[in-house]
Amino acid sequence: MDLTSLNSTDNRKTIEALVDKALNFTKETLKPDIESMASNHSCEIYNYFTTSTLTPQTVCVSSVRVADAIQRINSQNDHIDIASVAGGFPMGQVPLSCRITEVEYAISQGAAEIDIVIDRGLANIGDFKRLYHDLRSIKSVCVNGDVTLKTILSVTELDSYHTVYKVAMTAMMAGSDFIKTSTGKEAENATLSHGVIMCQAIKKYHDITGYQVGIKPAGGIKFNEQALSWLVLVKNQLGTDWLKASLFRIGASSLLEDVVKRLSAVLKKLQTNY
């Protein structure tokens, strides 16, 4: 999970709270449930939670909030990667030089991953050559900084499934490490049908090149059942090799609360059974 906050009202305090939530949800939110199992050290799940630290893969924020996130992490003497949306998010219709400048800025502030969004106008008129050029130019900045590049397709704003497939292929050919469904700001969220098209493109690209490109659904994924639907889709379409954080992420702002609630329920049930 990439725990995300991309609100116009974000500030230093809200980002600090987001980082704290990412770093501490196991030992703070689940602490009462874990401690109540302390008398049963033979319980495997108890041992797992007391010896493991569960955190989201990244905290994802806007470029101007990266420094706030990094400072908070450093003050906690802890670590989690920071991802940043950049490059004219969420519209993508900004001069290329400006998009590159923002990506460079986010990386200079400490972003380990960059989420950019394509210019859907180029995609819908079929100008894939220009789209490739833009994405390749941004990829070159990420290569120099050894930064993961995730490219948002905004699939529900593309004019057909065929265009979704071609955009996915273009993004991967340009060097994207992940293709991502949505900005989360679209009028409609991506569907599992869009996910199937993206997975088919990823599989074809892998068959041709041998490179594994990740997939990141985002936007409107708030509950455990939704996350599991995407997990099952990725497993069925791409196989178990993709079921790891380096190839499969979910961009979410509120999913974590539901996951914690489910984990808490599991722990309570185990207390009863053991």
Side-chain angles (χ1 to χ4, degrees):
M1 188 187 307
D2 290 344
L3 185 62
T4 303
S5 185
L6 303 172
N7 302 312
S8 59
T9 54
D10 283 341
N11 54 53
R12 178 177 56 81
K13 289 186 177 180
T14 61
I15 297 305
E16 287 177 351
L18 186 73
V19 169
D20 290 348
K21 180 180 177 181
L23 293 175
N24 301 317
F25 89 93
T26 305
K27 56 189 177 186
E28 296 299 331
T29 309
L30 293 175
K31 187 177 180 181
D33 298 313
I34 295 170
E35 288 185 342
S36 66
M37 301 177 71
S39 60
N40 196 336
H41 291 272
S42 62
C43 179
E44 248 181 72
I45 200 80
Y46 170 82
N47 293 332
Y48 178 78
F49 276 107
T50 53
T51 58
S52 302
T53 300
L54 302 179
T55 61
Q57 182 69 12
T58 74
V59 170
C60 184
V61 298
S62 62
S63 58
V64 295
R65 302 267 72 94
V66 171
D68 295 332
I70 295 291
Q71 289 170 12
R72 187 62 172 181
I73 292 167
N74 292 340
S75 73
Q76 302 288 322
N77 293 317
D78 212 329
H79 177 75
I80 188 170
D81 282 341
I82 298 301
S84 174
V85 295
F89 180 93
M91 291 178 62
Q93 294 197 348
V94 176
L96 178 60
S97 59
C98 298
R99 282 180 272 166
I100 290 173
T101 297
E102 188 183 12
V103 170
E104 289 174 334
Y105 172 77
I107 293 172
S108 74
Q109 297 300 295
E113 301 186 356
I114 296 292
D115 290 33
I116 61 167
V117 59
I118 68 162
D119 180 342
R120 281 78 88 195
L122 290 178
N124 285 333
I125 64 170
D127 194 348
F128 298 104
K129 183 176 181 180
R130 171 71 180 278
L131 181 61
Y132 172 86
H133 171 266
D134 288 2
L135 296 177
R136 191 66 187 169
S137 299
I138 294 171
K139 173 64 177 181
S140 66
V141 176
C142 295
V143 168
N144 292 337
D146 193 25
V147 168
T148 298
L149 176 63
K150 303 197 286 290
T151 298
I152 307 168
L153 310 186
S154 283
V155 290
T156 58
E157 295 186 346
L158 300 177
D159 58 16
S160 68
Y161 285 134
H162 184 62
T163 300
V164 171
Y165 186 88
K166 293 183 74 171
V167 169
M169 277 295 188
T170 302
M172 291 186 287
M173 290 169 63
S176 301
D177 300 295
F178 276 78
I179 52 174
K180 178 177 171 182
T181 62
S182 314
T183 65
K185 309 297 184 182
E186 296 88 349
E188 297 180 13
N189 293 315
T191 66
L192 293 174
S193 297
H194 292 104
V196 170
I197 301 300
M198 292 171 67
C199 284
Q200 288 175 345
I202 289 171
K203 187 176 187 302
K204 184 66 174 180
Y205 186 77
H206 177 253
D207 289 344
I208 294 171
T209 67
Y211 287 102
Q212 291 179 294
V213 175
I215 182 169
K216 179 178 173 180
I221 302 174
K222 300 179 179 180
F223 301 108
N224 187 58
E225 291 83 0
Q226 293 171 295
L228 287 174
S229 294
W230 280 97
L231 186 148
V232 170
L233 169 67
V234 171
K235 180 181 178 181
N236 289 342
Q237 292 288 321
L238 297 173
T240 54
D241 285 350
W242 261 261
L243 299 186
K244 52 189 175 184
S246 60
L247 290 170
F248 176 52
R249 305 276 185 83
I250 294 175
S253 58
S254 57
L255 176 63
L256 186 60
E257 285 89 347
D258 196 52
V259 170
V260 169
K261 183 175 72 174
R262 303 305 178 93
L263 287 173
S264 179
V266 168
L267 290 170
K268 284 182 171 65
K269 187 173 182 180
L270 285 168
Q271 292 173 40
T272 303
N273 293 342
Y274 284 85

